[in-house]
Amino acid sequence: MCLAIPGKLLELFDENGLKMGTIDVNGSKTRACLEYVPDIQVGQYTIVHAGFALKIIDSEEAAESLKLWQELFDSGAFQTDEELPLSELL
């Protein structure tokens, strides 16, 4: 399962004729194709899924989404199989 995560556009560049960018996703830098959001500017936030920026969002929406992601992590929703009790693996 893949989930879209908000990130902030740090830089724009062209790669093989495609509009690309470096996105800061919660402190991690990743590259994404920006062809679906041609009007995006450096400093704006976007939702990234499978290497593609899907839409431009404002900073308030990005902050709320990141807060919810953090709550999920803090709750243990993303435990690996090694961290799950044996009874949950069976």
Side-chain angles (χ1 to χ4, degrees):
M1 174 173 71
C2 294
L3 302 169
I5 300 175
K8 185 176 185 177
L9 181 61
L10 301 177
E11 71 173 321
L12 292 164
F13 55 93
D14 183 77
E15 185 175 296
N16 299 320
L18 295 174
K19 184 174 184 176
M20 300 289 290
T22 301
I23 311 286
D24 177 352
V25 178
N26 208 25
S28 229
K29 291 181 185 175
T30 189
R31 293 172 359 141
C33 179
L34 305 174
E35 290 293 321
Y36 295 139
V37 289
D39 297 329
I40 195 166
Q41 299 295 316
V42 170
Q44 288 185 303
Y45 288 85
T46 182
I47 295 292
V48 178
H49 174 74
F52 290 87
L54 301 178
K55 74 175 196 169
I56 300 169
I57 60 172
D58 61 33
S59 58
E60 291 81 23
E61 185 177 353
E64 179 62 23
S65 180
L66 289 171
K67 178 182 166 221
L68 293 171
W69 276 103
Q70 190 61 53
E71 288 175 10
L72 284 170
F73 281 112
D74 292 346
S75 74
F78 296 105
Q79 291 178 329
T80 64
D81 289 344
E82 294 81 33
E83 297 169 334
L84 293 174
L86 183 57
S87 60
E88 290 186 34
L89 294 173
L90 302 176

